[in-house]
Amino acid sequence: MNENVSFYRDTWAEINLDAIEYNVKSMVEHLGGEGTVIAVVKANAYGHGDYEVACAALEAGADMLAVAFVDEAISLREKGMKVPILVLGASRPEDVQVSIDYDITLTAISLEWVKKAEQFAKEGVLQFHIKLDTGMGRLGITEKEELDELIQFAADSSSLSVRGIFTHFAAADELESDYTDCQFAAFKKLLGGISNKEWLIHCANSAAGLRFKDRIFNTVRLGIAMYGLSPSKEMNKELPYSLQEALSLHTKIVHVKKLPKGGKVSYGATYTAQEDEWIGTLPVGYADGWLRQLKESEVIAGGKRVQIIGRICMDQCMIRLPEKMPEGTKVTLIGRQAEEYIPIDEIADRLETINYEIPCILSARVPRMFLRNKSIMEVRNPIIQSHSALKG
């Protein structure tokens, strides 16, 4: 790579911020003024890059951000993010003051939590959303009596301020909607008598926002669809607009050799050449998130699909080439090259998991290259430095 690109290995991920912008704008247009968008950038924006994705999402029309933990919210504040940030997960009551200091909105999961939180709010006002458990079985209040008591307790406190109320659907990405219907009914029942128009009321994740415009109340939490990935395979034919995948993963061939018939490749010598073969070595392995289970999967080299051979190592893997290719040849593991395309869903299928997991498991040692209008805007390489702006 060019010395100005701030990393010194031939493996990197590209994050297309134009795709992020398109996906957010598409949801905003889909809602048609019926609700706002909370951009979910937890887990380093599902592995894409929290600050860069957040900026693109806000420019595209999102109004607020959501993360999983206080640490993630503080990280965004330290990078200069000023907009409201909601922590979706459970937070320790003893960390309330630092959340107030950083103007972070927390999630209240019970009346007991709120009472403890008030004790740690020494200066300023804690803003929070109330989480209702309508069938996820994870976090939140299930009884109307406890909810009403919590709201009254907050109203009587000078250090607490309710800013919203929400629940989470467990099966909105499944075509059979009976369970989602039950959760929606339970949410409405718990909300009975609550009419505060200043609160954000939300139950719709990406799947529900795409499928059920009549169930968003006034906000959609846009997560997986913001990154151009469908919430489930079943939903692919149900999408109201196309999605643009934002992440691609690339490397380069660093070594080429001719392996004679009978030659072995990688740990355990599990691969044997059936004839004289050209072998290319790639500087990417399971420590980067390119897991061992991806052995015998395909990548794209020179515009052609080629197979990974032998066991994937911690830092390297090998591919069988159709002919001798020069060192430095670009190889695409996820994304498009020439007429070939390997989507994240294909990798998820090979790993027998969901598409959410694939970008999340790409390790921090894989540099993220952020693109706008097909030009490099910024590179993040945590190994050397957190941010490196590029000129030109």
Side-chain angles (χ1 to χ4, degrees):
M1 302 301 296
N2 185 292
E3 62 179 3
N4 292 325
V5 180
S6 301
F7 59 93
Y8 303 95
R9 62 176 302 197
D10 286 326
T11 298
W12 71 98
E14 294 180 5
I15 312 301
N16 184 351
L17 296 178
D18 293 328
I20 298 292
E21 180 179 356
Y22 163 83
N23 294 325
V24 174
K25 282 184 175 179
S26 294
M27 176 57 78
V28 171
E29 292 172 2
H30 172 64
L31 297 177
E34 296 300 316
T36 60
V37 169
I38 299 174
V40 181
V41 293
K42 63 181 180 177
N44 191 29
Y46 294 39
H48 292 68
D50 56 359
Y51 180 77
E52 295 80 3
V53 168
C55 289
L58 293 168
E59 289 173 12
D63 298 281
M64 185 175 179
L65 303 175
V67 295
F69 309 115
V70 170
D71 308 66
E72 294 178 335
I74 291 175
S75 176
L76 286 168
R77 286 283 186 252
E78 293 287 352
K79 292 169 186 173
M81 193 58 62
K82 304 295 185 184
V83 301
I85 303 175
L86 169 65
V87 172
L88 296 168
S91 304
R92 298 181 303 211
E94 55 265 38
D95 295 331
V96 158
Q97 188 58 53
V98 73
S99 299
I100 295 173
D101 294 342
Y102 276 96
D103 191 23
I104 296 168
T105 303
L106 299 184
T107 287
I109 59 175
S110 67
L111 174 60
E112 180 184 9
W113 183 92
V114 170
K115 289 181 176 180
K116 288 181 179 179
E118 187 195 37
Q119 297 174 15
F120 290 95
K122 303 302 182 182
E123 184 178 353
V125 177
L126 172 66
Q127 300 184 75
F128 63 90
H129 288 204
I130 303 168
K131 180 67 178 289
L132 304 182
D133 181 6
T134 58
M136 185 70 179
R138 193 165 60 181
L139 294 174
I141 293 169
T142 60
E143 301 296 331
K144 177 68 171 172
E145 181 179 357
E146 181 180 0
L147 173 61
D148 290 343
E149 188 175 346
L150 186 159
I151 293 172
Q152 187 58 55
F153 182 85
D156 294 338
S157 172
S158 60
S159 56
L160 300 174
S161 176
V162 181
R163 306 304 300 161
I165 188 167
F166 70 109
T167 194
H168 188 64
F169 289 140
D173 58 349
E174 298 177 4
L175 296 188
E176 173 54 63
S177 64
D178 286 354
Y179 196 72
T180 301
D181 295 342
C182 289
Q183 281 196 260
F184 184 66
F187 188 50
K188 288 201 299 182
K189 185 176 181 180
L190 285 169
L191 289 177
I194 296 175
S195 59
N196 193 318
K197 294 182 179 180
E198 295 182 358
W199 289 5
L200 289 177
I201 301 176
H202 46 111
C203 60
N205 51 11
S206 287
L210 290 165
R211 296 182 64 198
F212 307 117
K213 285 178 62 176
D214 59 334
R215 297 183 179 181
I216 65 167
F217 289 90
N218 57 19
T219 306
V220 170
R221 300 186 305 273
L222 187 61
I224 193 68
M226 180 167 66
Y227 305 99
L229 301 174
S230 175
S232 69
K233 290 182 182 178
E234 296 91 333
M235 278 190 58
N236 286 342
K237 295 182 179 180
E238 301 272 320
L239 297 175
Y241 54 85
S242 62
L243 297 171
Q244 292 185 8
E245 206 161 299
L247 181 143
S248 58
L249 180 63
H250 309 276
T251 188
K252 290 184 178 182
I253 297 174
V254 294
H255 186 60
V256 176
K257 67 175 62 175
K258 195 168 190 179
L259 190 70
K261 181 179 179 179
K264 305 288 187 178
V265 173
S266 198
Y267 289 114
T270 58
Y271 179 82
T272 304
Q274 299 303 304
E275 57 186 5
D276 291 353
E277 297 174 353
W278 287 104
I279 304 300
T281 300
L282 308 178
V284 60
Y286 61 78
D288 300 300
W290 199 249
L291 305 183
R292 279 165 59 100
Q293 297 97 308
L294 289 168
K295 66 178 183 178
E296 300 179 2
S297 62
E298 294 178 329
V299 298
I300 309 169
K304 302 175 183 177
R305 280 183 175 247
V306 300
Q307 188 178 43
I308 294 175
I309 56 174
R311 290 176 178 165
I312 294 173
C313 310
M314 182 181 289
D315 314 299
Q316 301 171 84
C317 63
M318 279 63 76
I319 56 176
R320 184 176 60 233
L321 302 174
E323 66 270 328
K324 183 179 182 180
M325 291 184 179
E327 294 177 0
T329 297
K330 182 179 178 180
V331 176
T332 297
L333 294 84
I334 298 172
R336 191 177 304 279
Q337 187 183 126
E339 300 302 316
E340 293 289 348
Y341 179 50
I342 298 178
I344 285 177
D345 280 340
E346 180 176 326
I347 308 303
D349 287 345
R350 288 188 177 276
L351 292 176
E352 297 183 345
T353 186
I354 55 175
N355 54 18
Y356 294 68
E357 193 170 352
I358 305 308
C360 289
I361 62 177
L362 291 182
S363 72
R365 77 175 194 167
V366 177
R368 268 59 167 180
M369 181 183 293
F370 299 94
L371 306 179
R372 279 278 201 183
N373 299 316
K374 299 182 180 180
S375 297
I376 302 172
M377 184 189 79
E378 184 177 347
V379 171
R380 184 193 291 195
N381 182 10
I383 293 179
I384 298 179
Q385 57 192 41
S386 57
H387 289 279
S388 176
L390 297 180
K391 297 180 180 179

